[in-house]
C-alpha cells in the first residue's frame, strides 16, 4: 500500500510541476508581448527623432554650402587689376587658392574621421 500511495503522490507532484512550468511560460509570454509592444513604440519614437535630427543636419549642410558658395563666388576672369582698386572692397585673396584650401580642409576632415571615428 505504501508503494501505491507514494507512486500516486509522485505522479501528482509531476503533474503540479508541469502545471507550474506551463503557467510560468504563459506569464513569460504575456510579459514578452507587452515588452515587445513597448519596445516597438520606443523604437518608433527614436526613429522619428533621428529623422528630425537628420533633416536638421541636412538643412544646415545645405545652408552652409550655400553660404560658402556665396562668399567665394568670384570668377577669376572677372578680376581686373585696374578695377580692383576702384571698388569699395578690395580683395586681398585669390579665389582659386581659397577654394583649393577649402577642398583640402574637407578632405583632411574626412580622412581624420575615417582614422579616428567618434
Amino acid at each position: 500500500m505504501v508503494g501505491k500511495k507514494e507512486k500516486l503522490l509522485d505522479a501528482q507532484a509531476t503533474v503540479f510541476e508541469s502545471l507550474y512550468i506551463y503557467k510560468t511560460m504563459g506569464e513569460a509570454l504575456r510579459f514578452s508581448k507587452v515588452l515587445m509592444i513597448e519596445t516597438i513604440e520606443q523604437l518608433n519614437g527614436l526613429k522619428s527623432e533621428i529623422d528630425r535630427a537628420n533633416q536638421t543636419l541636412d538643412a544646415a549642410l545645405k545652408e552652409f554650402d550655400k553660404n560658402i558658395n556665396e562668399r567665394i563666388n568670384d570668377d577669376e576672369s572677372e578680376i581686373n587689376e585696374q578695377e580692383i582698386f576702384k571698388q569699395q572692397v578690395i580683395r586681398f585673396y585669390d579665389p582659386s587658392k581659397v577654394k583649393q584650401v577649402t577642398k583640402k580642409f574637407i578632405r583632411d576632415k574626412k580622412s581624420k574621421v575615417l582614422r579616428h571615428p567618434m
Side-chain angles (χ1 to χ4, degrees):
M1 272 300 205
V2 175
K4 191 174 185 180
K5 287 183 180 180
E6 210 170 284
K7 285 181 182 179
L8 188 60
L9 190 59
D10 286 342
Q12 187 177 10
T14 304
V15 169
F16 278 126
E17 183 179 341
S18 296
L19 173 70
Y20 287 113
I21 287 172
Y22 290 122
K23 279 188 173 188
T24 302
M25 284 182 175
E27 186 61 34
L29 287 173
R30 280 190 289 277
F31 174 76
S32 66
K33 184 178 176 183
V34 171
L35 180 63
M36 288 175 76
I37 291 170
E38 181 67 28
T39 303
I40 290 170
E41 288 175 6
Q42 292 290 324
L43 288 174
N44 286 336
L46 179 62
K47 182 189 177 302
S48 66
E49 287 184 31
I50 289 172
D51 289 343
R52 196 174 14 203
N54 191 20
Q55 289 172 352
T56 303
L57 288 173
D58 284 343
L61 284 172
K62 286 178 185 175
E63 184 70 22
F64 178 77
D65 286 341
K66 185 184 99 180
N67 289 339
I68 289 291
N69 290 333
E70 284 177 1
R71 282 188 232 139
I72 306 175
N73 200 14
D74 298 330
D75 188 9
E76 292 177 36
S77 63
E78 294 177 7
I79 298 176
N80 183 350
E81 290 186 18
Q82 300 297 329
E83 293 181 16
I84 289 177
F85 296 110
K86 294 179 184 176
Q87 297 175 357
Q88 281 188 330
V89 176
I90 301 173
R91 294 185 194 102
F92 293 103
Y93 67 91
D94 183 6
S96 64
K97 289 182 181 178
V98 172
K99 290 177 184 179
Q100 193 176 29
V101 168
T102 303
K103 287 178 183 176
K104 185 177 185 289
F105 285 152
I106 291 170
R107 279 194 310 268
D108 288 347
K109 183 177 181 180
K110 287 179 182 176
S111 66
K112 182 180 178 185
V113 168
L114 290 174
R115 283 184 274 142
H116 306 288
M118 291 185 190

